Amino acid sequence: MNHSVSELKDWLAPYRAGLCFSVLAGTLATLLLLLQCWWLAWCCGQWFAGVAISLTDSLWFILCWLGRTVLLALKDLQAMHVSQQARQHLQQQLLQQLELAGPRRTLVGNDGELSTLLLEQVDALDPYLSRYWPQLWLVVLTPLLIATATAFFSPFAAGLLLVTAPLIPLFMILLGKKAAQESQRQIKALGLLGGRFLEFLRGFAQIKLLAAEDQVLQQLDEASAQYRRRTMKVLQKAFLSGAVLELLSALAIAFVALYLGLGLLGELPWAKQQVPVPYQNALFILLLAPEFYAPLRQLGSDYHAKAQAVAAWQSLKPLLQLQVQQGGGTMPAAEPQPLHFATTAFFSAPERPARLAPLQLTIQSGQRVALMGRSGSGKSSVLELVLGYEPELSQQIWLGPHRLSELELTRWRQQLLFLPQQSPWQTGSIRQNLLCRDYDEYELLTALENSQCLEFLQQLPQGLEFELGEAGLGLSGGQLQRLAYARALLKPALYWLLDEPFSMLGKTQQRQLQQQLNCLSQGKTLLLATHQLDGLEWLDQVCYFEAGRLSWQGTVQQARQQHWYGALEELEPDDAEA
């Protein structure tokens, strides 16, 4: 945890100047508080002496009160502004990290957990920035100023304040450790709950089809009930620490008041019939005593904010430290180039088995290649490598004379058409999901015709304005797959990476789209992950993967004669849309 605290302070370094301004405003407010309390004590002394208070004296009190109010408001506003600025920068950094990580983001968590990190855990840093960090300085400066003013009139009272002050931070630390542990467990539980809820939303169609709504709702109720119980434990620790700190500060103030009261009565054992602190000075000290402990109590109340921030930072660290490929400054060529793989083993995570064995493969410019093999054999991993998201392996892939890591990756990915097995869909109309940039109506209709989407779109009540639900809810898997293919065709690209683009369609429809693909991919470099070769006689080469290893290369005709080809044909669906 100490290492996380150090990292949190390092991240906060660029924003310390703004927070120091907040501390300065709080310190000036303390000085005005001293003047205000001294004025009140002086007025009471004058009143007891029978001297009237002038309007000018009252005006000074009002000015001190207004000035302190303004400075305290300025302190809080400045701290909140710095907190908002820091959290916005952090969110932008995390979003950029996710963009650069691509598929590697799954090493940190699923989409539900990542969304919780970006929203909940970044916001969990706010109390630490806006309250705890400024209070960490004010808890030193404010008591020192008050103790100095008190010592001028009564060194014993100042010593009494300073002796009792360390008790509050001591109990704050003891109770805060337990709250930190509970906060860490709470963050993990929230991430799991968010991930589970998102998965339920994505699978809503299947849940409804299986009539399993009651079971799902019961699981969500149990998970949310556990989360509520954990939340109450965290609050219990926070309230307990607050109550203990209030009790300690009240006892300390009572000791100071007892000393001053007995002194005014002349009943102190070591100063009988003496008044060590006159009435006006005693009242001034007594007015300051609660303010002496107020920053300590506030820091104790805010200490759980530090524990919460440290726990949040620990959950954000895996994403911030995830290695991503930044790319170089070389612009990719405007014409297709040979693609050469000379990679070492590719691991999905250091502790997991290799997804790909060492790979030696060359794809000539304009060549159209099938990647075949059973599920999990490494076909999709080859396509992911071309995207350039793997920092180490991008140095072992060449596009013409340049390594992939040397290319300007944004321009490189603009030349890629990548169609994964599961395409992302957002809530909105079909037209909104298809048009990632401006296209004219002719381009859109052409893409829909080439993907055989026009027929079922015409049968929808609203056509292209038909509203999709979460993860494409409202259309079948085959319809979504054809729409994803149409969306891909709208993108001009030199390299096409298609991962089983027609797997949810019947054989008849597959062959029709494969013939269309033959015409559309002329002159392109095509990598097509597939289980069968019927209708793909036009491909130039076939690469067969087995257990992450490239075990065979040849033509389509040669592939059909291999012993493994018949086993792959059994994986194909019937002649009906899935």
Side-chain angles (χ1 to χ4, degrees):
M1 179 175 290
N2 291 334
H3 186 59
S4 297
V5 173
S6 177
E7 291 176 342
L8 194 58
K9 291 180 179 178
D10 292 339
W11 167 71
L12 191 59
Y15 310 101
R16 284 178 182 168
L19 292 175
C20 286
F21 182 81
S22 176
V23 173
L24 177 61
T27 304
L28 294 176
T30 301
L31 293 176
L32 289 181
L33 172 68
L34 295 176
L35 294 176
Q36 185 179 344
C37 290
W38 172 251
W39 186 93
L40 283 174
W42 178 81
C43 286
C44 290
Q46 294 292 97
W47 182 71
F48 278 119
V51 180
I53 307 300
S54 67
L55 182 61
T56 304
D57 295 332
S58 301
L59 183 61
W60 279 111
F61 173 79
I62 294 173
L63 289 177
C64 289
W65 177 78
L66 287 177
R68 181 168 178 257
T69 303
V70 170
L71 286 171
L72 290 176
L74 183 62
K75 173 183 78 74
D76 293 337
L77 290 175
Q78 175 66 14
M80 287 190 291
H81 172 71
V82 173
S83 172
Q84 184 179 14
Q85 186 182 31
R87 288 182 289 115
Q88 284 179 347
H89 291 170
L90 180 59
Q91 280 186 332
Q92 292 172 359
Q93 183 181 355
L94 292 171
L95 288 172
Q96 184 180 12
Q97 190 80 343
L98 284 175
E99 182 181 359
L100 293 174
R104 287 175 57 82
R105 68 181 185 275
T106 56
L107 299 178
V108 179
N110 58 40
D111 290 343
E113 292 172 327
L114 291 174
S115 62
T116 300
L117 289 179
L118 286 172
L119 298 176
E120 300 289 342
Q121 304 314 323
V122 173
D123 286 343
L125 299 174
D126 175 58
Y128 176 81
L129 293 167
S130 61
R131 297 204 309 265
Y132 179 81
W133 196 93
Q135 196 63 31
L136 199 61
W137 288 91
L138 292 175
V139 79
V140 176
L141 296 174
T142 299
L144 282 179
L145 289 174
I146 293 176
T148 302
T150 302
F152 184 78
F153 300 105
S154 175
F156 183 84
L160 192 59
L161 292 174
L162 293 174
V163 167
T164 55
L167 295 176
I168 295 179
L170 176 63
F171 280 89
M172 173 186 70
I173 294 173
L174 294 176
L175 295 172
K177 288 183 177 180
K178 197 66 177 177
Q181 296 174 359
E182 295 294 340
S183 295
Q184 184 64 35
R185 296 192 189 99
Q186 186 72 347
I187 286 174
K188 292 180 180 179
L190 182 60
L192 292 173
L193 182 60
R196 178 180 294 185
F197 184 68
L198 181 60
E199 292 302 322
F200 283 152
L201 287 177
R202 287 176 171 173
F204 181 75
Q206 291 82 356
I207 293 172
K208 189 173 183 181
L209 183 64
L210 297 172
E213 297 95 329
D214 293 338
Q215 294 91 322
V216 169
L217 289 175
Q218 183 178 359
Q219 292 182 22
L220 284 176
D221 286 340
E222 292 175 355
S224 60
Q226 293 177 1
Y227 183 74
R228 284 195 299 271
R229 286 194 290 270
R230 290 191 179 95
T231 302
M232 294 308 297
K233 286 183 179 180
V234 175
L235 293 176
Q236 182 182 10
K237 299 295 187 301
F239 290 149
L240 177 62
S241 62
V244 171
L245 296 180
E246 290 292 338
L247 176 62
L248 289 174
S249 61
L251 291 175
I253 294 171
F255 282 128
V256 175
L258 182 62
Y259 162 73
L260 295 174
L262 291 176
L264 290 173
L265 295 174
E267 295 295 334
L268 289 173
W270 60 89
K272 288 288 186 178
Q273 305 300 321
Q274 296 181 16
V275 179
V277 183
Y279 170 78
Q280 182 176 324
N281 298 341
L283 182 58
F284 174 65
I285 295 173
L286 193 59
L287 289 172
L288 288 179
E291 300 296 336
F292 177 88
Y293 295 103
L296 295 169
R297 294 201 311 271
Q298 186 61 44
L299 184 66
S301 300
D302 292 338
Y303 188 77
H304 71 281
K306 177 191 174 182
Q308 186 181 12
V310 170
W313 185 259
Q314 288 177 338
S315 66
L316 293 171
K317 275 174 55 179
L319 181 55
L320 290 170
Q321 297 177 353
L322 182 65
Q323 293 185 353
V324 295
Q325 179 59 54
Q326 299 288 345
T330 304
M331 292 297 172
E335 298 296 331
Q337 299 289 311
L339 194 60
H340 177 64
F341 298 83
T343 63
T344 56
F346 173 31
F347 297 87
S348 58
E351 70 277 3
R352 297 180 184 176
R355 292 167 60 182
L356 273 179
L359 176 63
Q360 293 286 337
L361 176 64
T362 298
I363 309 295
Q364 299 298 332
S365 58
Q367 194 174 30
R368 298 181 292 181
V369 180
L371 307 178
M372 302 193 69
R374 290 182 173 273
S375 298
S377 61
K379 307 186 300 296
S380 300
S381 298
V382 173
L383 300 181
E384 291 179 9
L385 289 182
V386 181
L387 297 176
Y389 286 109
E390 296 296 330
E392 296 181 1
L393 297 185
S394 294
Q395 302 177 15
Q396 305 168 23
I397 303 174
W398 278 262
L399 183 69
H402 301 291
R403 299 175 188 267
L404 207 60
S405 58
E406 299 172 356
L407 300 180
E408 208 288 314
L409 290 180
T410 301
R411 296 294 296 273
W412 163 240
R413 290 170 187 148
Q414 289 175 354
Q415 295 185 351
L416 297 177
L417 186 160
F418 178 56
L419 184 59
Q421 294 184 34
Q422 299 292 333
S423 296
W425 300 99
Q426 299 178 352
T427 302
S429 69
I430 294 177
R431 183 185 295 275
Q432 290 172 339
N433 275 274
L434 289 177
L435 301 182
C436 54
R437 67 177 180 87
D438 292 334
Y439 297 95
D440 59 43
E441 199 69 16
Y442 175 76
E443 289 179 288
L444 177 59
L445 292 176
T446 301
L448 292 173
E449 183 179 2
N450 290 333
S451 59
Q452 298 187 5
C453 293
L454 287 179
E455 181 180 354
F456 78 82
L457 285 176
Q458 292 171 353
Q459 298 175 357
L460 294 176
Q462 296 172 303
L464 283 171
E465 306 306 323
F466 179 79
E467 291 287 327
L468 294 179
E470 179 74 24
L473 183 65
L475 296 179
S476 68
Q479 290 171 336
L480 289 174
Q481 197 166 54
R482 280 182 281 169
L483 282 175
Y485 181 51
R487 181 167 59 185
L489 293 178
L490 286 169
K491 179 182 180 181
L494 300 176
Y495 307 86
W496 289 21
L497 313 175
L498 308 182
D499 193 355
E500 300 186 28
F502 314 125
S503 60
M504 295 186 182
L505 303 176
K507 291 185 177 179
T508 302
Q509 220 165 25
Q510 281 189 28
R511 292 191 181 96
Q512 293 173 352
L513 288 172
Q514 287 165 351
Q515 293 172 4
Q516 190 71 257
L517 180 61
N518 178 26
C519 300
L520 297 173
S521 62
Q522 294 287 340
K524 313 290 185 183
T525 299
L526 172 66
L527 295 180
L528 175 64
T530 182
H531 281 128
Q532 58 84 38
L533 295 173
D534 290 343
L536 298 174
E537 294 80 6
W538 44 269
L539 290 173
D540 301 312
Q541 187 180 2
V542 176
C543 299
Y544 177 71
F545 288 84
E546 189 173 9
R549 186 177 301 277
L550 177 60
S551 62
W552 186 89
Q553 285 180 263
T555 64
V556 174
Q557 291 74 20
Q558 293 170 339
R560 285 202 176 100
Q561 299 171 5
Q562 300 299 312
H563 68 278
W564 46 261
Y565 183 69
L568 290 181
E569 283 186 311
E570 298 176 1
L571 301 176
E572 288 302 298
D574 296 332
D575 194 9
E577 185 173 287

